Amino acid sequence: MTEARLQHPLSSLIDDLASQGWSQQALFTPQVLTRELAAECRKRERSGELSAASVGRGSAQQVQEGIRGDRIQWLEPGQSEASDRYMQLMDDLRQALNRELFLGLEDFECHFACYEPGAFYLRHLDRFRDDDRRTVSAVLYLNEDWQAEQGGALRLYLSDGREHDVLPQAGTLALFLSGEMPHEVLPATRERLSLTGWFRRRGTDVL
């Protein structure tokens, strides 16, 4: 069954998303897979496959290090066994979200992200103004033995005015509604690795 393949119950994650628009799950991925994904991210970075991330969409895309400073590479099927396993895991999650919350999610796009010490991403929303397909954001962290004093938290700006910080500890999954949850990535004192992705529904571009 789908739930068995996911290795853990999803009820709290799905309930959180429905009730408050976000959820945080520790140890979402098996430790072995998390380590394999971290090693793959570092390998891609060493080989020069990651490139500076841009802001905006289409012809308006620009690299602006004053807004975001991560380097990324998108995952595609067949690139590695570890990345294929992760993408399958997220497709299982997509199906569970559709079954329980009727979100109509059609696919999942995802990239590795590497933040060098001091890099950050200013407060933003994940949904483009002219494209409403991104519905649920999912960030998996790949950093072992992360300490709070090292910084690098994902800061969520909640609807009641509070802030919630998610430390980028290996295996932690942060899930939140793409168009409703402002957030930022705080600078860290060490390299910070993650897999950042979006569950997308069918949408119509807004002209």
Side-chain angles (χ1 to χ4, degrees), residues 8 13 23-29 86 90 93 137-141 166 169 171-175 195:
H8 54 75
L13 188 155
S23 187
Q24 177 180 341
Q25 174 75 55
L27 303 177
F28 179 79
T29 46
Y86 179 69
M90 300 311 280
L93 176 55
S137 301
V139 187
L140 177 74
Y141 294 105
V166 180
Q169 178 63 40
T172 294
L173 179 75
L175 202 68
L195 276 162

Side-chain angles (χ1 to χ4, degrees), residues 103-123:
L103 294 178
L105 304 173
E106 290 204 327
D107 60 22
F108 179 72
E109 61 178 5
C110 180
H111 63 63
F112 280 112
C114 176
Y115 288 78
E116 295 299 324
F120 56 87
Y121 194 164
L122 296 182
R123 179 170 172 165

